[in-house]
């Protein structure tokens, strides 16, 4: 899309250097309306419509008239100001696009207050507003939507009613509620990364997946590969800064103009790693650092092609046209450490589950970090994701609030579960519960653990064994949780 057609919101996006304001008593309605209008504009012009035909005095109050005005006394003034400036597509125009991949649009007056949810969780009357209605039947269900809590002026996305328990009541889950501008900035980030795109609704999707009219979810984007490689560089830099002083002077490699990649194309070809796919792009672009251990007990992938092939239990299995296998990126030291993936314990998609009994898929595989397996024609998948397969499970919720391995949403990892450490769980910015965490975020989190001295570094890299991750089940569980994001 021609970016100059879109409003410039660069200075309004919430980032680490430009956070949401904390000095307001309500919503930052001007900022939120501008971000909302950007997404309306993006969807509108993505279908080939003229930008000028979008604008007019078309808002919640002008569209719904008396029914909307009757609700004004129940709305915080800042929320009412947002609804008075957030634009809607023309009512007399062609069928408008949904507002976003996870939201159909601003709710109608009859659906604006989430009275049932507020009653279920003893929230004050009129406190919960269903600001954006979900895309029904395409990841969302009745009862879901983007909820805005007027008590603290924070928002969270519920794909359906089953999500309520993860984030309600609000006062028990404050880390899962964010300013509306933070949620909208995350959605715009997805668009700018190319993870979510919009195009004329009759244009085919990249991998024959179902589009939500113009909106399309992509398994990954080139921008995500680049971002992940940058996160890898940051992690390697902090480890090497600690490794190199420990090495003999002749051991340190200097003046390397073009560092070798983690893996050469010949090794990836020998292991039948698909071309293109996220794992292949990352492994062929990320540099090979001057140490062996990238995390406790986790090695760099072997450079020797036969050895790399031997470390891949999934890549040479038969698979469907749009299926992408998990790739073992960082194997656990000592290949005898196996993970049991029988039954429901496997996090991978159907082509790579050991069912039925005569399946060629192995029921036990080496421990390590694996890329996510996806069916590219399915919605809300993530080739950019990962799974840490551990040769042990965790203890679950044993009634001790000070200990126990948890996911980003604060919920406990279930008893015996082997593949949920560092994962999301419920996603307050939207999306399927089971979509995995991004590899980029894992690498940045590991960098933090090294930077803060939580993980020590020796001459071969990060010290410790695969058992170091058992610390997630102790009072140190916070060190093994990645903060919520999309």
């Amino acid at each position: 899309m021609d970016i100059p057609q879109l409003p410039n919101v660069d200075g309004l996006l919430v980032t680490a250097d430009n956070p949401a304001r904390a000095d307001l008593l309500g919503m930052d309605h001007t900022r939120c309306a501008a971000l909302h209008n950007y997404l309306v504009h993006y969807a509108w012009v993505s279908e080939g419509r003229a930008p000028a035909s979008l604008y007019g005095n078309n808002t919640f109050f002008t569209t719904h008239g008396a029914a909307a005005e009757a609700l004004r006394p129940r709305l915080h003034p800042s929320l009412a100001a947002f609804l008075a400036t957030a634009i809607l597509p023309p009512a007399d125009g062609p069928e408008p696009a949904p507002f976003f991949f996870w939201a159909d649009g601003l709710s109608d007056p009859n659906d604006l207050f989430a009275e049932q949810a507020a009653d279920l969780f003893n929230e004050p009357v009129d406190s919960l507003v269903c600001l954006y209605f979900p895309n029904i039947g395409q990841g969302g269900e009745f009862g879901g939507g983007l909820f805005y809590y007027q008590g603290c002026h924070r928002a969270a996305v519920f794909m359906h009613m089953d999500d309520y328990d993860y984030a309600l009541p609000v006062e028990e889950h404050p880390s899962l509620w964010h300013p509306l501008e933070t949620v909208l900035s995350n959605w715009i980030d997805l668009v700018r990364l190319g993870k979510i795109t919009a195009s004329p609704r009759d244009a085919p999707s990249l991998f024959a997946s179902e589009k939500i009219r113009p909106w399309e979810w992509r398994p990954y984007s080139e921008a995500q590969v680049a971002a992940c490689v940058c996160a890898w560089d940051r992690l390697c830099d902090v480890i090497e800064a600690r490794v190199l002083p420990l090495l003999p002077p002749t051991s340190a490699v200097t003046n390397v103009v073009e560092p070798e990649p983690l893996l050469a194309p010949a090794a990836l070809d020998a292991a039948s790693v698909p071309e293109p796919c996220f794992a292949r792009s990352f492994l062929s672009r990320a540099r090979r650092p001057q140490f062996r251990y990238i995390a406790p007990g986790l090695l760099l992938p072997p450079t020797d092609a036969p050895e790399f092939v031997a470390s891949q239990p999934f890549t040479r299995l038969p698979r469907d046209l749009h299926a992408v296998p998990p790739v073992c990126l960082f194997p656990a030291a000592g290949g005898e450490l196996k993970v049991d993936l029988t039954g429901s314990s496997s996090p991978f998609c159907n082509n790579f589950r050991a069912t039925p009994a005569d399946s060629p898929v192995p029921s036990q595989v080496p421990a390590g970090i694996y890329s996510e397996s996806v069916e590219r024609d399915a919605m809300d998948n993530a080739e950019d994701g990962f799974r840490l397969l551990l040769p042990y499970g965790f203890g679950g919720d044993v009634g001790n609030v000070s200990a126990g391995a948890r996911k980003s949403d604060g919920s406990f990892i279930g008893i015996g579960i082997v593949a949920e450490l560092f994962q999301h769980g419920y996603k307050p910015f939207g999306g399927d519960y089971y979509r995995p965490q991004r590899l980029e975020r894992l690498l940045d989190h590991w960098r933090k653990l090294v930077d803060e001295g939580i993980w020590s570094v020796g001459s071969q890299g990060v010290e410790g064994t695969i058992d170091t991750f058992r610390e997630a089940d102790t009072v140190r569980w916070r060190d093994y949780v990645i903060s919520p994001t999309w």
Side-chain angles (χ1 to χ4, degrees):
M1 182 184 301
D2 184 11
I3 296 300
Q5 293 185 74
L6 301 176
N8 185 355
V9 294
D10 290 352
L12 300 174
L13 293 170
V14 173
T15 64
D17 297 325
N18 189 32
R21 290 178 60 181
D23 60 340
L24 299 176
L25 298 179
M27 179 196 294
D28 190 347
H29 58 86
T30 301
R31 186 178 191 177
C32 290
L35 297 175
H36 165 99
N37 293 346
Y38 177 94
L39 286 169
V40 172
H41 200 128
Y42 177 88
W44 184 260
V45 301
S46 73
E47 296 200 277
R49 296 167 179 166
S53 65
L54 177 61
Y55 289 103
N57 188 27
N58 214 45
T59 69
F60 176 79
F61 290 110
T62 60
T63 297
H64 299 292
E69 289 294 341
L71 300 180
R72 196 184 284 268
R74 300 164 63 185
L75 300 171
H76 189 275
S78 64
L79 177 55
F82 167 78
L83 291 172
T85 49
I87 62 173
L88 299 176
D92 58 352
E95 181 189 10
F99 173 69
F100 188 62
F101 190 79
W102 292 315
D104 187 63
L106 291 172
S107 294
D108 292 341
N110 289 340
D111 300 310
L112 191 64
F113 287 94
E115 296 171 343
Q116 181 181 8
D119 185 58
L120 282 171
F121 292 91
N122 295 316
E123 298 287 7
V125 174
D126 292 345
S127 60
L128 277 176
V129 173
C130 181
L131 190 57
Y132 292 95
F133 203 71
N135 283 312
I136 301 299
Q138 295 167 309
E141 297 178 9
F142 285 103
L146 185 152
F147 283 19
Y148 184 83
Y149 189 70
Q150 298 201 85
C152 64
H153 302 286
R154 295 291 186 268
V157 178
F158 299 94
M159 301 303 293
H160 38 68
M161 294 178 66
D162 294 344
D163 286 344
Y164 287 174
D165 286 328
Y166 294 112
L168 290 170
V170 177
E171 65 178 10
E172 294 182 12
H173 307 277
S175 67
L176 299 178
W177 292 78
H178 300 270
L180 178 61
E181 60 265 35
T182 302
V183 179
L184 296 176
S185 293
N186 270 263
W187 289 3
I188 293 172
D189 186 39
L190 283 161
V191 169
R192 292 187 167 189
L193 277 173
K195 182 69 174 177
I196 291 177
T197 65
S199 61
R201 61 191 69 190
D202 58 352
S205 60
L206 184 62
F207 294 108
S209 61
E210 181 180 6
K211 291 174 66 174
I212 301 178
R213 281 169 277 179
W215 294 104
E216 177 186 350
W217 178 275
R218 296 283 177 87
Y220 74 99
S221 71
E222 285 301 306
Q224 286 188 284
V225 175
C228 194
V229 170
C230 287
W232 172 258
D233 285 338
R234 291 190 292 268
L235 173 59
C236 291
D237 287 346
V238 299
I239 297 174
E240 286 177 336
R242 292 157 174 79
V243 167
L244 296 182
L246 303 175
L247 299 178
T250 56
S251 299
V253 179
T254 58
N255 299 322
V256 177
V257 177
E258 189 68 33
E260 292 183 359
L262 280 172
L263 284 166
L268 296 165
D269 291 340
S272 299
V273 176
E275 170 68 57
C277 73
F278 181 88
R280 186 184 185 107
S281 295
F282 171 75
L283 290 170
S284 61
R285 297 184 200 178
R287 68 179 178 89
R288 181 164 287 270
Q290 299 179 59
F291 53 81
R292 295 183 63 213
Y293 287 89
I294 192 65
L298 296 178
L299 292 162
L300 300 178
T303 56
D304 178 70
E307 190 178 352
F308 178 69
V309 170
S311 71
Q312 302 302 321
F314 298 107
T315 55
R316 290 172 294 160
L317 295 173
R319 57 181 184 265
D320 293 339
L321 175 63
H322 294 301
V324 176
V327 178
C328 183
L329 304 174
F330 307 115
E336 71 277 1
L337 294 171
K338 300 292 185 181
V339 182
D340 185 357
L341 293 182
T342 55
S344 61
S345 62
S346 175
F348 300 128
C349 64
N350 290 337
N351 275 213
F352 310 105
R353 288 176 176 263
T355 53
D358 59 352
S359 168
V361 180
S363 59
Q364 291 192 330
V365 301
I369 290 283
Y370 287 73
S371 65
E372 176 69 342
S373 66
V374 304
E375 294 166 347
R376 284 175 166 171
D377 54 348
M379 289 196 298
D380 214 347
N381 52 36
E383 277 188 49
D384 50 291
F386 73 91
R387 303 287 180 176
L388 170 55
L389 301 188
L390 293 167
Y392 50 81
F394 294 103
D397 183 359
V398 295
N400 183 356
V401 296
S402 299
R406 307 179 200 201
K407 292 168 280 191
S408 297
D409 63 6
S411 64
F412 287 90
I413 294 175
I415 296 174
I417 300 298
V418 298
E420 288 194 349
L421 191 61
F422 297 115
Q423 294 299 333
H424 289 281
Y426 160 73
K427 297 174 178 62
F429 296 102
D432 183 75
Y433 179 93
Y434 295 101
R435 172 165 43 86
Q437 183 65 263
R438 310 193 302 279
L439 180 62
E440 174 195 352
R441 304 240 26 239
L442 178 71
L443 300 177
D444 272 334
H445 188 76
W446 283 357
R447 174 180 54 82
K448 176 185 174 185
L449 295 179
V450 173
D451 249 346
E452 296 180 356
I454 294 166
W455 284 352
S456 59
V457 174
S459 61
Q460 296 191 70
V462 180
E463 296 182 315
T465 69
I466 199 74
D467 281 341
T468 300
F469 293 102
R470 291 184 186 272
E471 292 177 348
D473 227 8
T474 71
V475 293
R476 297 184 60 181
W477 63 268
R478 289 179 179 82
D479 294 336
Y480 295 86
V481 172
I482 299 174
S483 58
T485 183
W486 62 265

